[in-house]
Amino acid sequence: MKDIKFLKDKIIAHRGYHNIKENIPENSLLAFIKAIRYKYVIELDVHLLKDNTLVVFHDDNLKRVCGVDKNIDECTYDEIKDLNLFDTNCKIPLFKDILKEVDGKVPLLIETKMIKYNSKLEQELSKILDNYKGQFAIQSFNPFSINWFKNNKKDYIIGLLYSDF
């Protein structure tokens, strides 16, 4: 049986331990550093860019967080790397950079985010996570994403998110 105790027994910092009044935006490196300090599980969102780069960002569109009305999956990392999160000095982090910072200090709860499903995100994410030594679980509202992990990564902890839209 997979050990899911960390999902039941620990506080989960949703999008990191963020507080915009302190200039710590959601899904930022600063929010994750603060969550690590308190030993919280970090929930974060992962998108795949059109250049196959994985970034940590919640929304499908950059407008709310960065002020640019463009879907994130239509961008390359080079096009978004200088955008500020909520008018702070924080940038959209690369997923691999967040893994380096977390480095197994706390567990991760990773939500896959996509506008259109094609399994590329899951493939790229698993390439990175296969070499990661820390605890993590994968979640998504997209049943196709979770099914991909169920069929291809049987050792991963996975969960389907649901909402009554």
Side-chain angles (χ1 to χ4, degrees):
M1 180 105 190
K2 297 174 188 168
D3 183 10
I4 61 169
K5 190 172 174 56
F6 72 91
L7 294 171
K8 299 190 303 183
D9 295 347
K10 295 189 179 256
I11 294 173
I12 298 173
H14 186 249
R15 300 183 203 165
Y17 195 113
H18 58 94
N19 182 341
I20 201 60
K21 291 177 185 170
E22 294 179 16
N23 288 322
I24 304 173
E26 65 184 55
N27 276 324
S28 67
L29 180 59
L30 281 177
F32 301 138
I33 290 170
K34 194 163 184 179
I36 292 167
R37 184 181 326 143
Y38 290 106
K39 306 280 189 238
Y40 294 159
V41 174
I42 295 172
E43 185 274 345
L44 55 80
D45 307 285
V46 177
H47 274 277
L48 184 70
L49 304 179
K50 75 177 182 181
D51 61 2
N52 290 329
T53 302
L54 290 169
V55 293
V56 178
F57 196 79
H58 177 267
D59 300 2
D60 292 335
N61 190 286
L62 297 162
K63 182 78 171 158
R64 178 181 71 91
V65 178
C66 299
V68 176
D69 190 10
K70 189 168 185 182
N71 287 341
I72 194 164
D73 68 349
E74 297 170 358
C75 302
T76 65
Y77 185 66
D78 205 45
E79 293 171 325
I80 66 168
K81 68 180 181 179
D82 295 324
L83 295 177
N84 294 326
L85 303 175
F86 293 108
D87 294 321
T88 68
N89 291 326
C90 296
K91 309 297 183 191
I92 298 171
L94 291 166
F95 179 67
K96 66 180 183 177
D97 289 345
I98 298 305
L99 287 186
K100 285 179 193 168
E101 184 67 39
V102 174
D103 193 29
K105 296 175 195 118
V106 298
L108 296 171
L109 183 54
I110 303 161
E111 182 176 343
T112 60
K113 305 284 263 186
M114 71 228 38
I115 297 171
K116 297 175 190 165
Y117 176 77
N118 61 17
S119 82
K120 286 183 186 176
L121 185 153
E122 293 77 10
Q123 293 171 41
E124 293 301 317
L125 184 59
S126 66
K127 283 180 198 174
I128 295 171
L129 290 174
D130 282 347
N131 296 308
Y132 184 67
K133 303 300 181 209
Q135 281 185 301
F136 66 88
I138 305 289
Q139 64 181 357
S140 185
F141 282 99
N142 189 312
F144 297 108
S145 179
I146 294 305
N147 194 53
W148 187 92
F149 285 107
K150 179 180 178 264
N151 292 329
N152 294 284
K153 297 295 173 180
K154 301 207 184 289
D155 56 328
Y156 283 20
I157 298 168
I158 57 173
L160 181 63
L161 295 169
Y162 173 79
S163 179
D164 185 6
F165 295 107

